[in-house]
């Protein structure tokens, strides 16, 4: 009643209502003018496409964030780009002129719903409180990423193709603002091979934290497991350039008349086929770069600009058609391509099939385990057998003719069931030793093998007669391959192959430098864009290190001067007993760096470097053994000398007396002490297994250890030197003196009593021959062993009368 009387006697109510309606109308006009693409570009509704394009270019230059430092420049640049996208498309422009809609996919009344979402988001309400249905596009659901899926699928796949990931949220108005540009970018980049992903902050908070994305919208690039944030205006051209910048710089090499010969001939060093793309544009397309990134471990990629003046010779040599892009693939023959495709609109699927069908050379070299696994896969079914024909050869020029003949044979006998490869024995010694039974291949050998398990078990058979590339060798190999394909049981030998050495792996310092470079770039990016949440652990670590450093400096500065003066070392006391001397020798020697002793074999290749030209001050401790006693003596030898393996001037080797039976008698006859004895014993027929020689190649002398009996033999008077359970210390002293007397007085063993000593040696078990080697090594380190001078070192592989004249 009161209100009715007030309105009846006053004109204020209609005036207030009119003012309210007028303000709402002004606000609606202002809002519509701010979102009107014609108003934003400053053109009339009847403007032509040329006028619209001209206006867009001028405004884009004016409001570009890189040139305009105005805080509103980025928002204005986005509005200009979006307005041009609407008006440059006739269908979108017609929809806007008729219905005032910005996007043909936007339903009527969506602006009101977005306004409500902005209100809801500003008050931080949880969307589950209202139970509103999600309005996400059905097409986006296939790109949604989950934490487990990202780590198991996307991260490993990022080493083969880059990923573009959008971090969004359900109540994010800015995410809706960039949605048209995102859709167009996805439609363009996904067919090229770029992976697409979407992360929802509301549901995948754990994955967002792993990516370091704490706000929406965010756009992330992922290549080789490394996350990079996109910080420019969301425009399709910028996103495309962002993906291209994420790829490694030297994926595609620019090829011209000046360097195409070197590029083609480099297949042997890199062990990869070569692909050349000829096109009219100045640089390679993004599609070609993405293909090169996917197959960079298998194929080398080059690009030739047909428009350059320095490409006429290569175009003429390969007879290239300049009207369409052309791809050539070369293997060992650099003059003739093995495959070619030519098309105006090349698709990713065509390129992938073209490269994947030719990603191996005709006869590749096994340089790592991954290549071996792909080239010679493990047998799964009978119809999917793959036999590997492996040539074990060398890289010296003397092997080139045989290697070339093997390549010609493989080209003439290429079959799906046969895979040809070769390996350098020097680079893959464990593999070659397993196939050749620890024997050095003096000439190239061909091995036929079939892999049976991932653990390395293979069935194999060596081709008799070796391989020198003659017609007879080719006929013999062809005959055995025919037998193998008819009867799989032709492979009679079985072995377990070790994992191949990775010959192409970069050095540790290069890996460390690459990791440090990526880390510095990440820190710089975080500092530049103020990502302090990610930088806090790093900054905390830096400040902690600085605090500790300066704290140490301050403590040293205020400490008393007398505390920093060095104290004089106490004079060393001489050891009183041999027990103390041996313990001192063990403590002064450096502890071994490894848990095993590295023992090399003295062969024709290592004899000169390990003995004749051994560095001054270095000693080579050589164990003499036979094929029958090799395993037992090497195990005992490693156990006895393990505590001395940390000494830098000691080297440990073994000599096979069965292979070089003349060397040991020649060496003993050349020493002055043995020559004076004049004994008539046939030393070449003696058993030298278990003898240990300490050889000084520079000063030409040796110290000799002979096997000593340590068992209980009642017929042998030397049992006085055996170990006794009730007097261990006394018997140890006697055994040490007995070993010393045997090493110092050879006339007692090699003269009149030589036959007796020989008969005793035959009764010693193999595992007891080196029982006192540890005591002998202690005296060697003390320098108390007698030295036998050698006038000249015998040659390892010739008769006993020849000696080496090298110093």
């Amino acid at each position: 009643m009161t209100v009715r009387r007030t309105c009846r006697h006053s004109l204020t109510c209609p005036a207030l209502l009119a003012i309210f309606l007028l303000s709402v109308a002004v606000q609606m006009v202002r809002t519509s003018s701010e979102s009107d693409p014609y108003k934003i570009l400053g053109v009339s509704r009847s403007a032509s496409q040329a006028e619209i394009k001209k206006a867009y270019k001028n405004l884009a230059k004016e409001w570009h964030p890189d040139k305009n430092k105005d805080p509103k420049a980025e928002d204005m640049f986005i509005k200009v780009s979006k307005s041009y996208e609407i008006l440059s498309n006739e269908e979108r422009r017609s929809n806007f002129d008729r219905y005032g809609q910005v996007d043909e996919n936007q339903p009527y009344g969506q602006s009101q719903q977005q306004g409500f979402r902005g209100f809801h988001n500003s008050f931080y309400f949880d969307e589950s409180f209202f139970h509103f249905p999600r309005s996400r596009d059905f097409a986006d659901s296939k790109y949604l990423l989950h934490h487990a899926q990202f780590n198991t699928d996307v991260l490993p796949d990022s080493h083969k193709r880059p990923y573009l990931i959008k971090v969004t949220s359900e109540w994010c108005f800015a995410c809706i603002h960039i949605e048209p540009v995102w859709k167009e970018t996805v439609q363009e980049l996904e067919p090229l091979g770029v992976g697409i992903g979407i992360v929802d902050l509301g549901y995948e908070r754990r994955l967002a934290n792993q990516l370091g994305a704490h706000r929406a919208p965010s756009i992330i690039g992922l290549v080789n497991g490394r996350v990079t944030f996109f910080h420019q205006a969301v425009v399709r051209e910028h996103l495309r350039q962002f993906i291209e910048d994420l790829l490694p710089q030297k994926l595609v090499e620019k090829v011209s008349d000046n360097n195409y010969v070197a590029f083609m001939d480099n297949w042997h060093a890199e062990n990869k086929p070569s692909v050349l793309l000829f096109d009219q544009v100045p640089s390679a397309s993004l599609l070609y770069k993405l293909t090169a990134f996917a197959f960079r471990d298998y194929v080398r990629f080059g690009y030739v600009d047909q428009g350059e003046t320095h490409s006429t010779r290569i175009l003429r040599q390969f007879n290239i058609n300049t009207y369409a892009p052309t791809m050539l693939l070369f293997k060992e023959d650099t003059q003739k391509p093995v495959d070619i495709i030519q098309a105006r609109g090349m698709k990713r699927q065509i390129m992938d099939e073209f490269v994947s069908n030719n990603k191996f050379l005709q006869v590749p070299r096994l340089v790592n385990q991954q290549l071996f696994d792909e080239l010679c896969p493990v047998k799964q079914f009978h119809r999917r057998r793959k036999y590997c024909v492996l040539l074990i050869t060398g890289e010296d020029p003397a092997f080139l003719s045989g290697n070339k003949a093997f390549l010609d044979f493989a080209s003439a006998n290429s079959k799906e069931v046969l895979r040809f490869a070769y390996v350098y024995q020097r680079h893959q010694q464990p593999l070659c030793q397993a196939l050749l039974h620890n024997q050095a291949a003096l000439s190239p050998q061909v091995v036929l093998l079939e892999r049976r398990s991932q653990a390395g078990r293979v069935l194999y058979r060596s081709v008799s007669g070796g391989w020198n590339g003659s017609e007879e060798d080719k006929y013999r190999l062809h005959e055995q391959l025919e037998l193998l394909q008819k009867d799989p049981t032709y492979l009679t030998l079985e072995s377990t192959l070790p994992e191949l050495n990775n010959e192409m792996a970069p050095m540790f310092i290069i890996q460390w430098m690459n990791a440090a470079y990526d880390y510095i770039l990440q820190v710089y990016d975080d500092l530049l864009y103020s990502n302090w949440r990610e930088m806090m652990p790093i900054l905390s670590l830096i400040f902690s290190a600085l605090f500790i450093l300066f704290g140490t400096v301050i403590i040293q500065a205020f400490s008393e001067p007398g505390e920093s003066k060095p104290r004089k070392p106490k004079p060393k006391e001489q050891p009183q007993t041999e027990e103390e001397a041996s313990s001192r020798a063990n403590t002064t020697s450096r502890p071994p760096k490894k848990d095993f002793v590295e023992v090399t074999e003295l062969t024709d290749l290592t004899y000169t470097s390990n003995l004749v030209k051994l560095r001054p001050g270095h000693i080579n401790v050589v164990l003499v053994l036979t094929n029958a006693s090799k395993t037992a003596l090497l195990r005992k030898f490693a156990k006895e000398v393990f505590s001395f393996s940390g000494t830098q001037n000691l080297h440990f080797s073994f000599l096979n007396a069965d292979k070089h039976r003349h060397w040991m008698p020649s060496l003993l006859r050349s020493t002055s002490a043995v020559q004076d004895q004049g004994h008539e014993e046939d030393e070449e027929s003696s058993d030298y297994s278990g003898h240990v020689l300490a050889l000084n190649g520079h000063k030409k002398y040796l110290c000799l250890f002979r096997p000593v009996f340590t068992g209980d033999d009642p017929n042998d008077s030397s049992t006085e030197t055996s170990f006794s359970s009730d007097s261990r210390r006394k018997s140890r002293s006697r055994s040490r003196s007995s070993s010393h007397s045997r090493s110092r007085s050879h006339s007692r063993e090699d003269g009149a009593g030589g036959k007796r000593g020989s008969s005793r040696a035959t009764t010693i078990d193999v595992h007891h021959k080196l029982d006192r080697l540890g005591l002998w090594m202690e005296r060697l380190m003390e320098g108390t062993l007698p030295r036998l001078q050698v006038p000249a070192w015998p040659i390892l592989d010739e008769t006993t009368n020849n000696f080496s004249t090298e110093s």
Side-chain angles (χ1 to χ4, degrees), residues 147 167 199-201 204-214 220 229 534:
H147 184 265
V167 180
V199 178
D200 194 321
L201 280 176
E204 289 295 333
R205 177 66 64 179
R206 183 181 177 187
L207 177 56
N209 292 335
Q210 180 180 346
L211 295 173
H214 306 288
I220 297 173
F229 280 82
E534 297 295 325

Side-chain angles (χ1 to χ4, degrees), residues 134-413:
R134 299 178 64 86
S135 59
R136 184 178 304 284
D137 235 349
F138 179 76
D140 290 345
S141 60
K142 66 178 182 179
Y143 302 121
L144 288 175
L145 298 179
H146 306 284
H147 184 265
Q149 173 199 4
F150 176 82
N151 289 279
T152 57
D153 299 334
V154 176
L155 267 182
D157 195 42
S158 67
H159 294 270
K160 297 180 180 179
R161 61 171 177 166
Y163 271 81
L164 191 65
I165 301 174
K166 181 182 70 171
V167 180
T168 184
S169 177
E170 180 65 18
W171 311 106
C172 173
F173 178 76
C175 302
I176 302 174
H177 188 67
I178 66 171
E179 190 65 25
V181 181
W182 172 260
K183 288 183 178 180
E184 290 185 359
T185 306
V186 170
Q187 293 174 1
E188 178 186 3
L189 297 182
E190 190 177 19
L192 301 182
V194 178
I196 305 298
I198 296 177
V199 178
D200 194 321
L201 280 176
Y203 287 92
E204 289 295 333
R205 177 66 64 179
R206 183 181 177 187
L207 177 56
N209 292 335
Q210 180 180 346
L211 295 173
H214 306 288
R215 63 184 181 88
S218 296
I219 296 179
I220 297 173
L222 181 69
V223 173
N224 290 329
R226 182 174 178 268
V227 174
T228 305
F229 280 82
F230 177 75
H231 296 291
Q232 296 181 350
V234 183
V235 183
R236 186 174 59 183
E237 289 77 12
H238 290 175
L239 291 173
R240 180 188 178 95
Q241 188 64 39
F242 173 65
I243 289 294
E244 192 167 350
D245 293 340
L246 291 178
L247 299 175
Q249 296 297 323
K250 296 182 179 180
L251 278 175
V252 179
E253 183 176 349
K254 192 69 175 293
V255 179
S256 63
D257 293 341
N258 301 326
N259 64 339
Y260 84 94
V261 176
F263 175 80
M264 303 291 287
D265 292 339
N266 205 25
W267 67 268
H268 186 271
E270 297 193 20
N271 196 40
K272 297 177 183 178
S274 305
V275 172
L276 277 180
L277 173 63
F278 298 82
D279 204 351
Q280 293 282 357
V281 294
S283 60
S285 62
L286 179 60
L287 173 61
Y288 188 64
K289 293 181 178 179
L290 291 172
T291 306
F293 179 73
F295 294 94
R296 65 189 184 279
D297 294 334
Y298 303 96
V299 182
R300 302 162 53 245
F301 291 84
Y303 178 74
V304 180
D305 182 10
Q306 298 179 357
E308 282 191 357
T309 58
H310 298 290
S311 303
T312 56
R313 186 171 58 185
I314 187 174
L315 295 176
R316 184 170 57 254
Q317 178 176 350
F318 297 110
N319 194 19
I320 300 300
N321 183 3
T322 58
Y323 297 100
T326 306
M327 287 181 64
L328 306 180
L329 192 141
F330 300 85
K331 291 188 177 180
E332 285 88 348
D333 188 2
T334 59
Q335 302 298 324
K336 183 179 179 181
V338 296
D339 203 354
I340 179 174
I341 57 172
Q342 190 175 32
R344 290 187 178 275
M346 289 191 181
K347 304 296 183 182
R348 177 61 189 265
Q349 183 179 1
I350 298 176
M351 283 191 174
D352 287 349
E353 292 179 357
F354 176 76
V355 178
S356 61
N357 293 335
N358 301 279
K359 64 180 183 179
F360 298 117
L361 293 172
Q362 191 72 33
V363 183
R365 177 164 61 95
L366 298 184
V367 294
N368 51 45
Q369 187 65 32
Q370 178 185 357
L371 181 60
F372 188 34
D373 293 339
E374 296 189 28
L375 195 66
C376 303
V378 177
K379 172 204 168 185
Q380 297 179 353
F381 305 101
H382 178 73
R383 295 183 179 180
R384 300 178 62 180
R385 288 180 181 271
K386 292 291 187 299
Y387 298 109
C388 192
V389 185
L390 183 62
L391 173 66
I392 301 176
T393 181
E395 53 186 328
D396 297 335
F399 298 96
L400 292 180
S401 60
N403 298 346
K404 179 64 169 58
F406 188 76
L407 173 61
D408 297 339
F409 179 86
S411 302
N413 296 271

Side-chain angles (χ1 to χ4, degrees), residues 367-507:
V367 294
N368 51 45
Q369 187 65 32
Q370 178 185 357
L371 181 60
F372 188 34
D373 293 339
E374 296 189 28
L375 195 66
C376 303
V378 177
K379 172 204 168 185
Q380 297 179 353
F381 305 101
H382 178 73
R383 295 183 179 180
R384 300 178 62 180
R385 288 180 181 271
K386 292 291 187 299
Y387 298 109
C388 192
V389 185
L390 183 62
L391 173 66
I392 301 176
T393 181
E395 53 186 328
D396 297 335
F399 298 96
L400 292 180
S401 60
N403 298 346
K404 179 64 169 58
F406 188 76
L407 173 61
D408 297 339
F409 179 86
S411 302
N413 296 271
S414 59
K415 296 181 181 180
E416 181 63 26
V417 72
L418 298 177
R419 299 293 177 86
F420 293 86
Y422 71 100
V423 63
Y424 286 150
Q425 184 178 5
R426 186 172 65 88
H427 294 168
Q428 302 292 344
Q429 288 185 1
L431 174 70
C432 299
Q433 289 177 359
L435 295 176
L436 300 178
H437 304 286
N438 296 325
Q439 296 180 1
L442 301 179
S443 62
Q445 302 287 332
V446 177
V447 178
L448 311 178
L449 61 89
E450 180 186 12
R451 300 185 64 197
R452 287 303 183 96
S453 69
Q454 294 290 349
R457 191 172 72 91
V458 296
L459 297 179
Y460 71 99
R461 186 188 185 101
S462 299
V463 179
S464 59
W467 177 268
N468 55 18
S470 63
E471 294 299 327
E472 182 182 357
D473 291 342
K474 294 181 180 179
Y475 178 78
R476 190 188 307 111
L477 178 58
H478 184 270
E479 185 180 26
Q480 297 197 21
L481 288 177
E482 292 292 334
L483 293 175
L484 174 62
Q485 296 178 58
K486 293 179 182 179
D487 184 12
T489 60
Y490 185 69
L491 303 177
T492 57
L493 300 178
E494 183 177 352
S495 180
T496 301
L497 301 182
E499 186 173 351
L500 271 69
N501 300 325
N502 190 0
E503 301 178 20
M504 298 299 180
M507 299 175 59

